[in-house]
Amino acid sequence: MKKTFNYLVIVLVSMLTFYSCSPETEFDESLLIGKWKSGTEYYRYDFSGTGVTWDTADDVTEADGQAFTWTLEKSELTHIHIMETGGTGVPKVYTVTVLNTTTLSYKDDFGKSYTFTKTN
């Protein structure tokens, strides 16, 4: 019985070691800079870690869009939407799955996926 327990512990430790060492995809945040479009929804990411989002279906232009700050660490993209009434921002966290010169794809914690095409 003791031998079986020792083998079980070794297997569990090995599994945890391999799981914790699995590589996490890292994306180049400079590829994020620019304007992205999905249908009528737009996001603009600036070098300063700021940006703006708007939806032309709601008759909102880039000048009137909602400001946000962003960070990209490895594959975790965080938007903090700045509230006009003040207070703390509203964070939204996504996992980036594709980021290249033409395509940005990410998903939220609920499994909903978003895909954008670079417009400039």
Side-chain angles (χ1 to χ4, degrees):
M1 181 71 176
K2 188 174 182 180
K3 241 182 179 181
T4 303
F5 179 74
N6 287 340
Y7 286 126
L8 181 62
V9 169
I10 290 170
V11 168
L12 287 174
V13 169
S14 297
M15 287 174 53
L16 289 174
T17 302
F18 288 117
Y19 179 75
S20 65
C21 294
S22 61
E24 186 176 346
T25 305
E26 189 165 338
F27 292 97
D28 180 2
E29 73 177 33
S30 69
L31 293 173
L32 193 58
I33 305 304
K35 193 182 299 183
W36 298 86
K37 176 183 179 183
S38 178
T40 60
E41 187 176 18
Y42 289 83
Y43 278 82
R44 189 190 73 223
Y45 296 88
D46 300 325
F47 281 108
S48 59
T50 61
V52 66
T53 181
W54 68 98
D55 192 336
T56 56
D58 294 333
D59 202 27
V60 177
T61 64
E62 183 174 359
D64 299 322
Q66 182 181 23
F68 65 93
T69 60
W70 63 269
T71 58
L72 178 62
E73 295 181 18
K74 296 190 178 187
S75 63
E76 184 177 277
L77 175 62
T78 303
H79 292 167
I80 299 178
H81 293 267
I82 301 167
M83 306 305 291
E84 291 180 13
T85 58
T88 59
V90 177
K92 295 183 178 180
V93 180
Y94 305 100
T95 302
V96 176
T97 54
V98 176
L99 177 57
N100 57 43
T101 57
T102 60
T103 305
L104 167 62
S105 294
Y106 53 77
K107 62 183 178 179
D108 62 19
D109 288 339
F110 303 106
K112 182 167 178 170
S113 295
Y114 305 86
T115 299
F116 296 84
T117 303
K118 198 162 206 175
T119 63
N120 67 343

